[in-house]
């Protein structure tokens, strides 16, 4: 059995070598279909990986409480335009004191998104975001320190002029490989001591913690005063299984604090950290279906081409089939010979398609700053599809070859 299989593979290899151009064209047709399938699916996996690593920074066990329609209006009952007041500092502190669900609560507010940071003669572009935070902010946002430390209780209480800076700010201000820790930088009119540097996180939809300065919340309140300022509460629970219960209690607690009347909508919004990621994953699911359909349509054309080539091969090798039958080859041996040839050509196309698909998919991955991926499930799927294409395309020509009359075959040509 094994000897016959190897013999069929050898004969199939010789047949392929004798028709190189035809084989190359068939392999390319199959390869293009597999390339489309593997390439698009690899790119989608890269995007999903990038989103999970860089966009969902707060993790799956965090939610945020924010003001509803901070700058706009909301259409309330009877078509009336309803404005919601900002979440005040006092309301935020009240929530921290009343909320007794096991969790870590962080309080923050954005001072400006167009700050210029200076160090000696160097300065950044006016695109630095200044955020006032407490000591729980790093944990709630999934941030880590590359060097330095977090804010102390005393520094937070008195609004000290200290800051934790994003990674990109180092490249712009400290160009001589200076250690930024312990250096003073100018943020607006204030002079701040750098006490920490954030690990590089990368950009997510236009926002990057690498271009952010974190300062104590009380310092922000003193130096970036705004009567319409609203504060954000980030709540981190021990695990994602407790998230819904935590959100339910947070909603009821904050409705009391905000004095939302029974029957009215919440005057605030609660966002799960992975909410947008789930929406994007649902949208990419449609892309996966589309990519699969495109690949299958291409492979349908490849299957027709492969069947045509195998039928031509049967016709051209009719005399060879007659000789093989005359010296003892049975119908099953002849059928398997042509079936193995179809499988061999198809798998060659699969190899080409997988290589090209990985190159295309990971090119997209590199361009968006994601990691190099080898999607084994899509690679296995590609070769399984190639096997199916080979069997579907090759079975009819193989059966036709096996049923040829040896006498008529020997007289062919």
């Amino acid at each position: 059995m094994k000897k016959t299989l190897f013999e069929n593979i050898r004969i199939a290899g010789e047949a392929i070598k004798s028709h190189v151009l035809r084989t190359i064209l068939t392999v390319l047709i199959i390869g293009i279909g597999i390339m489309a399938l593997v390439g698009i699916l690899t790119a989608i996996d890269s995007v999903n990986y990038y989103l999970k690593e860089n966009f969902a920074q707060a993790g799956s066990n965090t939610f945020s409480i924010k003001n509803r329609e901070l700058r706009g209006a909301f259409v309330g009952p009877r078509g009336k335009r309803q404005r919601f007041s900002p979440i005040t500092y006092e309301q935020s502190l009240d929530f921290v004191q009343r909320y007794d669900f096991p969790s870590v609560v962080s309080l923050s507010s954005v001072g400006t998104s167009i700050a210029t940071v200076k160090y000696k003669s160097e300065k950044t572009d006016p695109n630095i975001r200044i955020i006032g935070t407490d000591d729980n902010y790093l944990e709630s946002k999934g941030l880590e320190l590359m060097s330095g430390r977090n804010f102390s209780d005393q520094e937070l209480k008195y609004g000290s002029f200290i800051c934790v800076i994003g990674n990109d700010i180092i490249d712009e201000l400290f160009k001589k490989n200076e250690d930024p820790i312990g250096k003073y930088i100018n943020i607006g009119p204030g002079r701040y001591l750098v006490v920490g540097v954030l690990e590089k996180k990368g950009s997510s939809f236009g926002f990057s913690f690498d271009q952010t300065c974190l300062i104590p919340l009380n310092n922000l309140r003193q130096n970036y005063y705004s009567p319409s300022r609203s504060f954000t509460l980030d709540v981190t629970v021990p695990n994602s299984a407790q998230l819904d219960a935590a959100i339910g209690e947070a909603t009821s607690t904050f409705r009391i604090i905000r004095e939302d009347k029974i029957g009215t909508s919440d005057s605030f919004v609660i966002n799960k950290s992975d909410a947008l990621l789930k929406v994007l994953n649902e949208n990419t699911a449609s892309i996966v279906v589309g990519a699969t359909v495109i690949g299958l349509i291409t492979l349908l054309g490849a299957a027709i081409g492969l069947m045509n080539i195998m039928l031509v091969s049967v016709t051209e090798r009719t005399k060879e089939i007659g000789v093989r039958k005359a010296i003892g080859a049975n119908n099953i041996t002849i059928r398997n010979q042509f079936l193995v040839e179809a499988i061999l050509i198809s798998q060659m196309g699969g190899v080409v398609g997988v290589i090209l698909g990985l190159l295309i998919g990971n090119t997209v991955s590199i361009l968006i700053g994601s990691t190099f991926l080898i999607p084994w499930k899509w690679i296995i799927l590609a070769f399984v599809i190639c096997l199916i294409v080979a069997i579907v395309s090759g079975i009819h020509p193989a059966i036709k070859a096996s049923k040829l009359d040896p006498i008529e075959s020997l007289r062919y040509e």
Side-chain angles (χ1 to χ4, degrees):
M1 180 69 179
K2 188 179 294 185
K3 185 177 180 181
T4 303
L5 177 62
F6 283 120
E7 180 66 18
N8 282 334
I9 293 174
R10 185 187 66 79
I11 294 171
E14 291 177 355
I16 289 171
K17 288 179 183 178
S18 62
H19 300 91
V20 176
L21 180 59
R22 190 168 67 193
T23 301
I24 290 174
L25 292 175
T26 309
V27 166
L28 286 177
I29 294 172
I30 297 172
I32 290 171
I34 295 298
M35 177 189 71
L37 188 65
V38 175
I40 296 174
L41 296 177
T42 301
I44 290 171
D45 281 354
S46 299
V47 171
N48 285 336
Y49 179 87
Y50 174 77
L51 292 173
K52 289 175 182 177
E53 292 296 313
N54 297 290
F55 186 77
Q57 295 163 331
S60 59
N61 57 338
T62 301
F63 63 91
S64 300
I65 304 174
K66 298 181 179 181
N67 183 50
R68 168 169 283 179
E69 299 291 335
L70 180 59
R71 297 178 182 173
F74 176 78
V75 179
R78 301 177 183 176
K80 294 181 179 179
R81 297 179 69 82
Q82 184 179 359
R83 292 185 179 276
F84 295 98
S85 59
I87 295 175
T88 65
Y89 181 66
E90 290 71 22
Q91 289 173 343
S92 302
L93 288 183
D94 195 7
F95 177 83
V96 173
Q97 294 170 359
R98 292 194 190 190
Y99 191 63
D100 57 2
F101 196 93
S103 61
V104 175
V105 181
S106 171
L107 181 58
S108 64
S109 182
V110 177
T112 178
S113 297
I114 54 172
T116 298
V117 180
K118 299 178 182 178
Y119 174 68
K120 294 183 179 179
S121 61
E122 302 291 345
K123 66 178 182 179
T124 67
D125 293 330
N127 60 353
I128 304 302
R129 176 172 291 202
I130 309 301
I131 303 177
T133 69
D134 57 16
D135 54 342
N136 292 327
Y137 187 77
L138 298 184
E139 180 181 350
S140 67
K141 294 297 182 182
L143 299 172
E144 295 182 1
L145 289 171
M146 183 181 75
S147 60
R149 61 175 177 82
N150 200 353
F151 304 142
S152 69
D153 291 339
Q154 290 297 313
E155 291 166 340
L156 290 168
K157 180 179 179 180
Y158 294 108
S160 302
F161 280 79
I162 59 173
C163 66
V164 174
I165 61 175
N167 209 277
D168 286 353
I169 298 175
I170 299 176
D171 299 332
E172 295 185 58
L173 298 183
F174 302 93
K175 297 182 178 179
K176 297 180 180 179
N177 295 323
E178 295 180 73
D179 185 0
I181 303 299
K183 301 294 192 303
Y184 284 91
I185 61 175
N186 292 319
I187 305 174
R191 191 164 178 259
Y192 290 77
L193 175 67
V194 179
V195 298
V197 178
L198 297 174
E199 284 278 5
K200 195 170 185 65
K201 292 289 289 185
S203 177
S204 299
F205 295 95
F207 174 75
S208 174
F209 278 110
D210 298 332
Q211 294 179 319
T212 298
C213 282
L214 307 181
I215 63 176
L217 190 60
N218 279 337
N219 185 284
L220 181 89
R221 295 175 61 223
Q222 295 165 10
N223 296 280
Y224 290 87
Y225 174 76
S226 171
S228 60
R229 177 174 309 286
S230 186
F231 292 82
T232 298
L233 291 152
D234 293 296
V235 183
T236 304
V237 294
N239 59 72
S240 56
Q242 297 175 297
L243 194 60
D244 290 337
I247 290 175
E249 184 161 337
T251 302
S252 60
T253 301
F254 211 54
R255 280 185 64 87
I256 295 172
I257 294 171
R258 295 276 285 177
E259 297 181 352
D260 293 341
K261 295 179 180 179
I262 297 174
T264 62
S265 59
D266 298 336
S267 61
F268 55 91
V269 291
I270 293 182
N271 295 324
K272 292 183 182 180
S273 59
D274 61 346
L276 183 55
L277 185 61
K278 288 181 179 179
V279 173
L280 291 169
N281 283 337
E282 289 172 2
N283 291 334
T284 55
S286 302
I287 300 175
V288 169
V289 174
T292 305
V293 171
I294 291 171
L296 292 177
I297 290 173
T298 308
L299 288 171
L300 178 61
I304 295 170
L306 180 58
M307 181 182 293
N308 183 57
I309 285 175
M310 293 308 300
L311 287 171
V312 172
S313 181
V314 170
T315 303
E316 289 178 349
R317 294 160 62 188
T318 300
K319 192 170 184 178
E320 175 194 328
I321 295 168
V323 171
R324 284 175 61 80
K325 282 196 168 185
I327 60 176
N330 57 29
N331 289 352
I332 295 177
T333 302
I334 298 297
R335 183 200 65 191
N336 291 344
Q337 174 192 332
F338 283 89
L339 201 55
V340 166
E341 184 177 333
I343 292 173
L344 196 57
I345 293 173
S346 183
Q347 293 301 315
M348 288 168 63
V351 171
V352 172
V354 165
I355 293 173
L356 293 176
L358 285 175
L359 289 175
I360 292 173
N362 281 291
T363 298
V364 174
S365 179
I366 292 169
L367 289 175
I368 66 173
S370 187
T371 187
F372 184 88
L373 292 178
I374 301 179
W376 292 109
K377 61 180 179 180
W378 302 129
I379 292 174
I380 294 170
L381 176 64
F383 285 117
V384 169
I385 290 174
C386 286
L387 179 63
I388 294 171
V389 167
I391 293 173
V392 171
S393 303
I395 193 68
H396 173 63
I399 292 174
K400 180 180 178 182
S402 69
K403 290 184 176 180
L404 288 177
D405 183 83
I407 304 300
E408 295 297 328
S409 299
L410 287 169
R411 291 192 306 181
Y412 187 77
E413 297 179 350

